[in-house]
Amino acid sequence: MLTAGGAGLVLAGLADPFRAGPARAAVTTADLVVYGATSGGLAAAITMRRLGRTAVVVEPTSHVGGLSTAGLGATDTGVQASIGGLAAEFYRRVYVKYHGGTPTPTSPLRMTFEPHVAADVFADLLAEAGVPVVVGARLAGLGRTGNRITELRTEDGSIYRGGVFVDATYEGDLLAMAGVGFTVGRESNDTYGETINGVQSRNTHQFAYPVDPYVTAGSPSSGLLPGISATPLAPQGTGDDRIQAYCFRMCLTQASNRIPFGRPAGYDPIRYELLLRHIQAGYAGPYFTTHSVGGGKTDSNNNGAVSTDHIGFNYAYPTASWAARESIIAEHRSYQQGLMWFLANDPRLPASVRDSTARWGLPVDEFTSTGGWPPLLYIREARRMVSAYVMTEHDCRGRVRAADSVGLASYTMDSHNCQRVVVDGRVRNEGDVQIGVPAPYPVSYRAIVPHQAQCANLLVPVCLSASHIAYGSIRMEPVFMILGQAAATAASLALTGNLAVQAVSVSALQGRLRQDGAVLDWGPTGEVILDNAAASGITRAGTWLRSTGVGGYYGPDYEHDGNVGKGVNRLRFRPTLPASGSWTVQLRWTANSNRATNVPVDIAYSGGVATRTVDQRQSGGQWVPLGTYPFTAGTEGSVLIRTEDTDGHVVADAVRFVRA
């Protein structure tokens, strides 16, 4: 039972569900106390309430929903079919917000969305579950008995007591205060026998033209430009304490009532001298991404050698005090706001750069309390717990598979750049890695619980135990929700059996997770992919053109109808399925503003044909589910892409069948 010793708890579903009252409860007691209102923390609390127990979420900032509601609306997903449980429900509810109706287990997942839509979905889930959320409550201390946490104490003097605790922060503040082992930075390749950890000097998000690193070009005595390290580049694979760069995920619009980019206080053009020199050398952009998320808005992220990532200015953040963190956040905000002002206004830039940037601005209906600017810095990586199982590159590549799976991850092993250095008299970025994984892989339960001797009633679904490069694949918002659900389910089982979280029966945990829709396994026969470039299994009518013009395609290229031959141009995928049974059909395409919004797709299955309509201006570069149907083994089933009456280019890229 949730009890409170006074007024001030914020109950989701009230008129202002995420605002703390002027007076807080002196003591709040719940079965589960979640520190951090990230997507993973909210998933944990909602799950606990659905399991019939009490939960409270304590958030140190004023923001609820983490990056999912702070601008990261173009979700990094990997394989959509590996997303199950509450995470999948969240994205189905997002779809319904845009398309109407009632979410069902077969509703499509929508992975792109405006920030306020994600906030509305979380508000609905919290209200339905009756989860109290307290904001502006920074952790100040802990109560412990032996190896168990008994209570959290926040700076305002409030106390939160519970049977089990979850650290769902991006920083890992609770686990650190509880004495749980952690690391910050990059391990060497030798630490876990990896190949892409540590220092990685590669060519992605790299300077395309030579750029001089010195304040006065050609004069080393003038000193290095801001953000360039004077330390020589270490050998490939060397470990260090550097972390990948942070930025704000801007939500931009070209609406007529947009908020123009303002010149921040303390603006100094020297910060952008590297970008200016790169442009003057011939670089023509892009300077930031403009991924469409709906409503005429974007999720805008780093893109290129000098962009929104503030490389090298976040090293102290993971373990810093709140005052120091606020200073680091302010530095990032000032840098990025200045970047946008520079691109839109600096007279030394070509008019085309200034004009194209100035067409964008901040939307008036997002982040209204912060003037349209995102309220949360994207903490891509901070502390990482070190527990009995460390997720590594070997897990990501499928070379080892944890038997105690509590969810799947499937995104690329991804690290943004970690530093700028001087190599042969030119500036060079270091640290960016983008290497795909062959298939979804399990995340170990042991990776979200600490060593029992350190803490017996804490779960960590966000700052979990993983090497730097493995964390780069796992650290995606859907996975945080998946692991948050697993953490709460384990917490409930621990309370039922009066057990340490490390002693929870994995089979019982997995059984309950599967009952609640989680996807825990991905076998070798779990999928069949047929690409447009395959030597067999593809039949075409009319004329189809091969292209690589828009990224996100599967295989070597994709095909399109040239926006002609409507009704004549057709392309059919006919895969060879290894077994009879239910298969989920997924389609992939590359999205662009010239694509058709009404592409008819016929799925021929055992006993019938289902027609779905897809919008190819959205959800590009993803596996988009079209439903689950019965098929017989062999080549009887098919997916036909038609073009009649379509309102733009129709793309045929690849189809994927996943065993249900």
Side-chain angles (χ1 to χ4, degrees):
M1 180 177 181
L2 181 72
T3 61
L9 270 183
V10 185
L11 298 176
L14 298 182
D16 194 3
F18 305 139
R19 296 294 173 189
R24 291 248 178 86
V27 178
T28 300
T29 301
D31 295 320
L32 182 69
V33 177
V34 178
Y35 186 61
T38 59
S39 61
L42 300 186
I46 292 163
T47 298
M48 199 66 165
R49 291 291 295 128
R50 290 181 174 184
L51 292 171
R53 295 186 178 275
T54 56
V56 61
V57 179
V58 181
E59 164 59 31
T61 75
S62 61
H63 184 74
V64 171
L67 262 293
S68 288
T69 57
L72 205 168
T75 310
D76 297 317
T77 60
V79 178
Q80 279 192 27
S82 68
I83 302 171
L86 183 56
E89 180 184 343
F90 172 84
Y91 295 108
R92 290 189 184 103
R93 286 179 177 239
V94 169
Y95 178 88
V96 168
K97 287 286 185 183
Y98 281 98
H99 300 280
T102 302
T104 70
T106 59
S107 297
L109 280 62
R110 175 158 174 153
M111 314 305 296
T112 57
F113 43 81
E114 299 157 86
H116 78 271
V117 173
D120 289 346
V121 172
F122 274 132
D124 292 344
L125 287 165
L126 291 165
E128 291 165 17
V131 175
V133 180
V134 182
V135 297
R138 292 176 176 174
L139 181 64
L142 297 179
R144 290 179 66 111
T145 299
N147 64 349
R148 289 179 176 266
I149 303 170
T150 57
E151 64 183 32
L152 308 185
R153 295 187 289 272
T154 54
E155 289 181 350
D156 68 349
S158 297
I159 295 172
Y160 301 90
R161 293 176 179 156
V164 183
F165 294 78
V166 165
D167 185 342
T169 62
Y170 291 121
E171 296 87 358
D173 288 343
L174 174 54
L175 74 88
M177 188 172 286
V180 170
F182 65 87
T183 188
V184 174
R186 302 182 286 185
E187 298 89 352
S188 72
N189 275 333
D190 293 340
T191 303
Y192 297 116
E194 297 174 302
T195 65
I196 51 175
N197 208 338
V199 170
Q200 295 292 315
S201 184
R202 295 171 176 268
N203 293 322
T204 45
H205 296 289
Q206 190 58 267
F207 288 88
Y209 299 89
V211 172
D212 190 290
Y214 302 109
V215 173
T216 300
S219 174
S221 63
S222 66
L224 293 167
L225 287 168
I228 302 176
S229 172
T231 304
L233 182 65
Q236 194 90 336
T238 302
D240 57 27
D241 60 358
R242 295 179 175 90
I243 55 177
Q244 58 182 306
Y246 300 166
C247 71
F248 289 89
R249 295 291 283 253
M250 299 178 295
C251 182
L252 303 181
T253 182
Q254 293 185 337
S256 59
N257 63 344
R258 65 188 179 277
I259 303 169
F261 300 121
R263 177 173 175 146
Y267 173 81
D268 187 348
I270 195 67
R271 285 173 155 182
Y272 316 105
E273 181 67 20
L274 281 176
L275 179 54
L276 176 65
R277 292 180 185 181
H278 200 204
I279 293 171
Q280 290 173 337
Y283 181 66
Y287 310 106
F288 51 91
T289 67
T290 53
H291 294 301
S292 174
V293 296
K297 300 170 189 171
T298 73
D299 167 359
S300 289
N301 192 17
N302 183 84
N303 198 346
V306 183
S307 183
T308 59
D309 280 358
H310 199 20
I311 299 172
F313 287 83
N314 61 344
Y315 301 152
Y317 182 90
T319 59
S321 66
W322 276 109
R325 282 182 183 168
E326 287 175 348
S327 177
I328 293 169
I329 293 168
E331 165 65 24
H332 280 71
R333 184 186 303 111
S334 174
Y335 163 79
Q336 195 165 331
Q337 290 177 342
L339 172 73
M340 304 311 291
W341 167 265
F342 166 79
L343 286 168
N345 294 279
D346 195 299
R348 296 171 296 173
L349 294 173
S352 59
V353 173
R354 287 180 278 126
D355 293 345
S356 62
T357 304
R359 292 191 190 106
W360 295 99
L362 306 174
V364 296
D365 59 342
E366 300 284 356
F367 314 137
T368 55
S369 63
T370 51
W373 192 258
L376 211 62
L377 182 65
Y378 187 6
I379 309 303
R380 289 190 171 94
E381 182 178 4
R383 294 183 180 97
R384 302 187 310 278
M385 181 172 65
V386 179
S387 70
Y389 193 101
V390 179
M391 301 291 298
T392 69
E393 177 185 338
H394 305 297
D395 293 274
C396 300
R397 292 188 185 272
R399 294 168 181 163
V400 299
R401 295 181 69 83
D404 54 343
S405 172
V406 289
L408 301 178
S410 63
Y411 193 70
T412 298
M413 290 179 283
D414 174 54
S415 172
H416 284 233
N417 278 305
C418 300
Q419 62 175 332
R420 285 197 175 107
V421 295
V422 179
V423 178
D424 297 330
R426 297 290 183 261
V427 64
R428 185 171 177 82
N429 291 339
E430 183 277 314
D432 193 279
V433 179
Q434 299 175 44
I435 295 179
V437 303
Y441 59 90
V443 178
S444 168
Y445 177 59
R446 288 164 289 168
I448 69 169
V449 296
H451 292 287
Q452 186 169 336
Q454 294 176 350
C455 193
N457 66 336
L458 175 67
L459 296 113
V460 185
V462 176
C463 292
L464 70 153
S465 179
S467 71
H468 159 74
I469 198 60
Y471 192 77
S473 170
I474 298 167
R475 62 175 181 87
M476 304 304 157
E477 294 289 295
V479 182
F480 289 154
M481 284 189 260
I482 288 167
L483 299 180
Q485 179 178 0
T489 305
S492 182
L493 291 171
L495 290 172
T496 297
N498 193 26
L499 301 169
V501 293
Q502 295 82 1
V504 165
S505 165
V506 170
S507 62
L509 172 58
Q510 291 175 329
R512 181 65 208 219
L513 288 172
R514 288 190 179 99
Q515 180 182 331
D516 292 336
V519 181
L520 307 184
D521 308 291
W522 201 266
T525 61
E527 68 173 359
V528 174
I529 296 176
L530 185 58
D531 183 58
N532 69 287
S536 62
I538 308 292
T539 57
R540 300 170 182 83
T543 302
W544 289 85
L545 305 174
R546 306 288 279 266
S547 178
T548 58
V550 177
Y553 49 86
Y554 184 91
D557 58 21
Y558 60 91
E559 299 178 40
H560 64 84
D561 69 344
N563 202 21
V564 297
K566 298 301 186 181
V568 175
N569 291 335
R570 295 184 170 199
L571 189 147
R572 186 184 298 272
F573 296 91
R574 192 180 295 278
T576 301
L577 299 180
S580 299
S582 294
W583 293 78
T584 297
V585 179
Q586 300 169 359
L587 193 65
R588 191 181 184 105
W589 58 82
T590 63
N592 193 274
S593 59
N594 70 352
R595 303 296 195 242
T597 64
N598 57 342
V599 180
V601 181
D602 296 337
I603 301 102
Y605 59 93
S606 299
V609 176
T611 299
R612 295 289 301 275
T613 302
V614 300
D615 179 357
Q616 293 192 336
R617 295 181 190 175
Q618 305 289 336
S619 304
Q622 304 176 20
W623 292 112
V624 178
L626 303 182
T628 301
Y629 310 93
F631 292 89
T632 57
T635 60
E636 293 185 8
S638 69
V639 174
L640 175 66
I641 297 177
R642 296 187 280 117
T643 63
E644 49 262 38
D645 300 321
T646 50
D647 57 2
H649 287 69
V650 174
V651 171
D653 182 15
V655 67
R656 185 166 175 265
F657 286 67
V658 181
R659 286 292 297 271

